[in-house]
Amino acid sequence: QVQLVESGGGLVQPGGSLRLSCAASGSILSIIVMGWFRQAPGKQRELVAAITSGGSTNYADSVKSRVIISRDNVKNTVYLQMNSLTPEDTAVYYCNTGRSPGTGSWGQGTQVTVSS
């Protein structure tokens, strides 16, 4: 089992930036993908971005022009740099790691609120 701890969320004004971090610990031998999902109130959890151990990335269309996902394979840490944030980005952001996006282990989430 993998434990995931997110950090970096908070309140930011529209147009601002945040960098989320997720540190993984525990047994990660089966991990191929690390990624970020988000869930806004009343909405389904959706994939924001994912990255494989080899560095291949996928982004949701709604964020791909404003978001960069990266990972440190030695530290087993994934980052989500978010720029040009809008109120529509307000959500709880969850770190995820597993053999494919949406599988495996989940963090408890970090709140991102974009508001003026």
Side-chain angles (χ1 to χ4, degrees):
Q1 187 175 355
V2 178
Q3 293 77 49
L4 301 172
V5 179
E6 302 102 331
S7 62
L11 176 64
V12 63
Q13 291 189 342
S17 298
L18 285 174
R19 188 191 188 203
L20 306 183
S21 299
C22 173
S25 62
S27 180
I28 57 173
L29 293 177
S30 64
I31 293 176
I32 300 175
V33 174
M34 299 186 77
W36 291 92
F37 288 70
R38 68 184 182 185
Q39 188 166 22
K43 296 185 177 181
Q44 291 184 310
R45 187 173 298 186
E46 64 176 351
L47 175 68
V48 179
I51 184 168
T52 69
S53 60
S56 298
T57 58
N58 284 314
Y59 297 95
D61 289 340
S62 60
V63 303
K64 64 181 179 181
S65 64
R66 303 179 291 114
V67 166
I68 298 174
I69 188 170
S70 61
R71 66 186 291 169
D72 184 327
N73 288 329
V74 175
K75 296 181 178 180
N76 292 124
T77 300
V78 63
Y79 307 93
L80 188 71
Q81 178 68 45
M82 301 189 292
N83 303 313
S84 301
L85 289 165
T86 74
E88 288 70 35
D89 296 313
T90 296
V92 178
Y93 285 69
Y94 296 92
C95 183
N96 165 249
T97 185
R99 300 183 67 85
S100 61
T103 69
S105 301
W106 295 86
Q108 295 190 33
T110 184
Q111 177 71 47
V112 172
T113 302
V114 185
S115 176
S116 60

